[in-house]
Amino acid sequence: MSDSPVTGLTPSRRFAAALAGRAPARAAKSAISVATLGGVVALVLLVVIGVLIDQTVLIPPLAASAALVFAAPALPLAQPRSVIGGQLISAVVGFVALAVGGSSTWTAAVAGGLAIGAMAMARAPHSPAAATAVIVVLTQPSTASFLLLLLLATLVLVGVGIVSGRSGKTARYPTYWW
């Protein structure tokens, strides 16, 4: 292929150049270590709590929530309002959708979408929480116990996030509470 008269690069090189250099700089090793340790500690604590009460406390969306809290603590999606509020709002949306539409993948899809809107209306956006609405519809958990365990789990994530955010190695967490 000949070079483009405009840029002097072949189309494949222009494409490669467009992709190059877009990723953010790697965080300091100490920040990565604190974020990793915080995430491991928080998620293991959820497993320990689950074992102690013989209930599942660690659900996949909480691992995604931990990724935000520990790896991107300054983002609005990682703040306590969004982590706790977004997860609880989405769970409630899931329970309402389950009551109206029953347990199906169709209802789960609608619940996930409605959870996005509900979180936006409440100014508590938290992308992992949309999956919580889907899980509620598909697994049909007991409402009261699920909501209480979800509240406990999000408080643990935020609590460990606060401790990690005081290490001096990562961004201070939270940047705002509510």
Side-chain angles (χ1 to χ4, degrees):
M1 296 183 127
S2 65
D3 288 346
S4 167
V6 176
T7 64
L9 298 176
T10 64
S12 61
R13 289 204 176 180
R14 278 198 314 271
F15 180 73
L19 295 178
R22 301 282 185 197
R26 184 183 329 272
K29 288 182 182 178
S30 59
I32 293 170
S33 296
V34 169
T36 302
L37 181 61
V40 169
V41 167
L43 296 174
V44 167
L45 277 173
L46 297 184
V47 173
V48 168
I49 292 167
V51 168
L52 291 174
I53 63 174
D54 196 30
Q55 295 283 325
T56 299
V57 178
L58 175 60
I59 58 172
L62 294 174
S65 295
L68 288 170
V69 169
F70 298 104
L75 287 180
L77 297 174
Q79 302 312 303
R81 174 188 183 97
S82 291
V83 174
I84 298 166
Q87 286 286 0
L88 292 174
I89 289 164
S90 293
V92 169
V93 168
F95 283 114
V96 170
L98 178 62
V100 172
S103 182
S104 74
T105 54
W106 297 100
T107 304
V110 170
L114 290 175
I116 294 167
M119 288 185 287
M121 292 295 294
R123 296 179 320 130
H126 187 67
S127 50
T132 300
V134 171
I135 287 173
V136 165
V137 171
L138 296 178
T139 64
Q140 306 173 61
S142 165
T143 306
S145 66
F146 186 87
L147 290 174
L148 285 172
L149 290 174
L150 187 61
L151 175 61
L152 174 63
T154 57
L155 290 172
V156 167
L157 292 180
V158 168
V160 176
I162 291 167
V163 172
S164 293
R166 301 302 187 265
S167 70
K169 305 293 182 189
T170 65
R172 189 154 172 93
Y173 180 81
T175 56
Y176 60 88
W177 281 93
W178 212 255

